[in-house]
Amino acid sequence: MNSESDDETVQVFSRLLVANQRRIYGFILTLVHDRAAAEDILQDVSALLWQKFDKFERGTDFAAWGMAVSRLTILNWRRKQKSVPLPLDDQQFSLLADEAVAVSCEADARHEAMQRCLQKVDPSGRELLTARFEMAQSVTSIADQLGRSRVAIYKRLNRIQSMLLDCINETLRTEGVQ
């Protein structure tokens, strides 16, 4: 492997890790319930993912691979925690890990569906959603800016959210996620 392809490999790995690190951390935290331990385990998992990156099949779910590596790392961590009472045995831990992976995958599917459904909202509706939820403006502030009543803004937001919820649920149902 020449240095140019090594640089490309580093960039691909870095992009995948950054894009999926939050999801992997959430998975780890769900299973260890300790932020400091979760951060330590995430560092170990990140190093392992880099060491084994040549085995990662590109185009597949990096986060799922990261969670599989995390699961084994957490099992090793649990075995080292003999001085700390663990509330779950290994079988219960495995069941919880399986459920955490399923929830994480569904959350990703839901997020992707929401992004597609947002494209169906008219531009003024998207601006309203952006003002309210991305910029965290109050309804009163938005109403003042638009010269409308607060009730009108609440009703419009409610209609948009209802449409989005229906669209997301229908998308997930169509894709067999729900």
Side-chain angles (χ1 to χ4, degrees), residues 93-161:
F93 170 79
S94 290
L95 290 172
L96 182 60
D98 290 343
E99 187 63 27
V101 169
V103 167
S104 178
C105 290
E106 185 178 322
D108 283 353
R110 184 169 290 279
H111 181 76
E112 288 174 18
M114 183 181 73
Q115 293 301 319
R116 282 183 270 154
C117 291
L118 276 170
Q119 299 305 311
K120 297 177 181 175
V121 176
D122 65 78
S124 67
R126 283 198 301 268
E127 287 176 18
L128 187 58
L129 290 171
T130 298
R132 180 68 182 117
F133 299 108
E134 285 186 29
M135 299 171 69
Q137 291 183 357
S138 69
V139 170
T140 301
S141 171
I142 296 169
D144 290 345
Q145 289 173 12
L146 298 176
R148 301 178 66 185
S149 71
R150 287 181 8 183
V151 172
I153 299 299
Y154 275 120
K155 285 182 178 178
R156 176 93 167 110
L157 283 170
N158 195 23
R159 282 193 302 271
I160 294 169
Q161 289 173 324

